[in-house]
Amino acid sequence: MRLAMRNRAFLFFSLIMPLAFLFGYAGLFRRFGPEAVPYLLSMVLALTVMGSFWGLSVQLVTFREQGILRRFRVTPVGASAMLASSLISNYFLTLPTIAIEFYISRSVFHMAGLGNLVSVFILVTIGTVTFASLGLIVASVTNTMQETQIINQIIWFVFLFISGATIPFPMLPAMVQKISLFLPATYLVSGLQRAMIDHTNLNSLGSYLASLVGCALIAFIVSAQLFRWEPETKAPRQAKLWVAAAVVPFLLLGIWENFNGDLRSHAVKNMQSIREPYSLERIEH
Amino acid sequence: MLSGATIEVTNLTKRYGDVEALRGVSFAVNEGEVFGLLGPNGAGKTSTVEILEGLRTPDSGSVSVCGLDPQSSGAEFKYVIGAALQATALPDKMRVHEALDLFGSFYPQRRGTQELLARFGLEEKRNAFYSQLSGGQKQRLALAMALVNNPRVVFLDEPTAGLDPQVRREIYDIVEELKKEKKTILLTTHYIEEAEKLCDRVAIVDHGKVIALGTPRELKERSGAVTRITVRMAKPETNGALGNLEGVTECRTEADDYLLYSTRVPRTIVALVKHLEEQNNELVSLEISAPSLEDIFLELTGRRLRD
C-alpha cells in the first residue's frame, strides 16, 4: 500500500482522475442543481472502481519484467497469496477516494442524500475486486508491458465510453446499448446509479452483484493458474482462451438483459434526475 | 555421493532450446560447508543454483536440500533456505527497512530488521529508497534479505559480480562470518580469488559439467600445474639457457621479465643462482607464484576463466 501511495501513476488514476471527473461533471451540469449530483457521483464512483483495472495489471507486469517477482518466488509466498494481497491493498486504497468523493459531493456540491449506503458499499467492494481481477487476468496473458498497455487501453476505452460511466446509457445508440449490456462496467454504473438515486437495496441488485462476484471469482482463479513469476516464461497460447471464461457471467446476464431485463428502463428513469431541470429550463425559455 | 549431505545434486540435466546448459552435474555439500561452483559465464552455475532454489525444474536428475525436494516441498523448503539471486530487484520506491520487514513477515521465525541493518552496515540507509542505493549497498541488502529467516542453507549466486574490490572484500567478510555460524553455503563465482578465499570445497564447472571437484589445495596438488617464477636480470639472456635449468618445463619472456615454469622450485632457484654467477649477471627481482585455480582451469579446458 505504501508503494502504491508513492506511485504517481497510481495516484493519478485512483485519486486525481476521478476527482477531476467529479469537478468536471459538476461544472458541466451545475445549472441542474444539487439534484443532479447523485447521478454524477455514481458515474464518478464507477470510474474510481474501474480504475482498479489499470493499477494492478501494470504493477504486476512491471514487477515481472524487472525480476522483482522472482525474488518473492524464493519465499514461502504463493501466487494466490500474492494476488490476493494485491487485491486487498488495492481495495483499501480505493476506499479513501470513495469517501473523499462523497465528502466533496456533500460539502461542495450540496448533495442532499447519500443514497443506499449499504448497496453502494457492497457494489464498490465487489466492483473493486472484480475490476482488479480483470486487470490481473490481462497481466497473466500478456508478455510485455507494451502488450499490456495496448490491451488495457482497448478494454478501458470500451468500459469508459459505452458503459454509461461517461456518456449516459440512454444517450448511446440502440445497437451500442445492446453490446453494452454484456459489459461488467455497465452493471456497476447502473447498480451505483440505482443505489444512489432510487436507494435500491441489495435484493434488487442481486443479478448484478452475482455476475460481478462470478466474474471476480473466475478471473481470480484463472489469473492464479496463469500466474508467471519469470519474465522469460511466456503465456501459453491457449491461456488467452481461458480469459473468455471470466466473461461468461456477463455473457449470460447480457443475453438475459437484452431480452427480459430492465436495466435500460432504470437507466432512462435515473437520467431524469439531470434531464428534468434541463427540460424545465428549455420550457421557460 | 555423501550420504546425509545437506545438498545433494545427482546427474542434473537442463536444456534451453538447442543449448544444453547442464549435462549430468553431480555433487554434494555437507552441513556447515562453503561450497563454490566456479566457472566462466554460461558454464551452468546459475542453472544449477536456480534448480536448487526451486526457481527452475531440471529435465532429468534429482536434487535435495536438507532432505527436501525444492519443487514439491513447498513452504517447508522455503523456510530452510535463503537466497541472494544473481540479480536481486526490488521496487524502486521500497525503503531498505521496509524490504526487510516485508520479507521477514513471510516467515514464522525471523531475524530482527535492526539486527540485520546493523550487521550489514545499512543503518544509515534504513529509510533510503532501493533506487537510491549503490551497487554494493544493494548487494548487502540482498544478503541481509537472504538471511532474514535465519536459514540453514544459503545460496549466493555471483555475490560480488560487478562490484569494486573494496565492496567485494566487505562481502567476503560477511561470508566469512556466515561460515563461523556454520551455515551451509553454496556460492557461484567466476572470480578465482573468491573461490580460493571463501570455499572449503570447489567444483569447477564448464559447459554444463563438473570437470574437477575438491578443496582448493587438493585441486592444486592433484593437477599437473606448475609454479611460475618471474625473474628480472641486470643483463638480458639471449641464449635460451634458462629453459634448460633443472625443473624448468617452459620459459617465456614478457617485456623485461623471464617467466620460468617449474615443477621443482627449490632446485630451479639453486640452478638459476649458479647460472647467474657463471654468466656474471645479477638478479634484479624474483617472484614465485604458486599455481592458482585459474591455472588449473586453463590446464583442464585450455581456456582462461574469462575468455
Side-chain angles (χ1 to χ4, degrees), chain A residues 157-173:
Chain A
F157 277 108
V158 171
F159 284 169
L160 208 58
F161 294 116
I162 69 167
S163 67
T166 49
I167 303 165
F169 185 89
M171 293 171 75
L172 297 171

Side-chain angles (χ1 to χ4, degrees), chain B residues 170-237:
Chain B
E170 287 172 19
I171 304 288
Y172 293 169
D173 290 342
I174 291 168
V175 177
E176 297 278 8
E177 279 179 38
L178 294 176
K179 202 170 170 178
K180 285 179 197 154
E181 285 181 28
K182 300 288 179 198
K183 299 280 181 211
T184 304
I185 300 170
L186 177 69
L187 73 85
T188 72
T189 183
H190 59 260
Y191 293 121
I192 300 290
E193 67 275 18
E194 194 163 295
E196 289 190 332
K197 183 174 169 58
L198 300 177
C199 298
D200 298 318
R201 285 192 306 138
V202 175
I204 299 178
V205 187
D206 190 42
H207 294 307
K209 278 190 158 182
V210 173
I211 54 173
L213 195 154
T215 64
R217 176 186 278 261
E218 279 171 359
L219 290 173
K220 289 176 199 170
E221 285 173 359
R222 215 184 295 158
S223 90
V226 291
T227 300
R228 189 178 67 200
I229 305 167
T230 307
V231 181
R232 186 172 290 186
M233 293 175 293
K235 289 186 283 184
E237 279 266 335

Side-chain angles (χ1 to χ4, degrees), chain A residues 71, chain B residues 96-97 99-105 107 109-124 126 137 140-151 174 177-178 181 183:
Chain A
R71 182 60 189 82
Chain B
V96 169
H97 75 91
L100 294 171
D101 286 340
L102 175 68
F103 280 81
S105 70
Y107 301 92
Q109 286 184 321
R110 58 159 303 188
R111 288 188 176 196
T113 297
Q114 191 50 44
E115 177 204 337
L116 289 167
L117 288 170
R119 179 168 180 185
F120 289 90
L122 290 166
E123 277 170 310
E124 284 182 14
R126 64 171 290 127
Q137 287 162 344
R140 290 211 299 265
L141 177 59
L143 291 174
M145 285 163 61
L147 294 174
V148 77
N149 56 327
N150 197 16
I174 291 168
E177 279 179 38
L178 294 176
E181 285 181 28
K183 299 280 181 211

Side-chain angles (χ1 to χ4, degrees), chain A residues 2-3 6-8 63 66-77 230 232, chain B residues 50 55-56 78-79 83 85 89-91 93-95 98 103 106-107 129 145-146:
Chain A
R2 285 183 200 157
L3 285 178
R6 291 170 195 152
N7 184 332
R8 284 179 193 162
F63 278 17
Q66 292 181 348
I68 294 168
L69 284 186
R70 65 192 325 254
R71 182 60 189 82
F72 283 89
R73 199 179 174 191
V74 289
T75 71
V77 175
E230 305 284 340
E232 68 265 30
Chain B
E50 288 189 345
L55 292 175
R56 294 185 191 279
K78 304 288 175 62
Y79 292 154
L85 307 180
L90 291 173
K93 297 281 183 180
M94 183 174 270
R95 296 186 195 278
E98 288 170 351
F103 280 81
F106 300 150
Y107 301 92
F129 288 135
M145 285 163 61

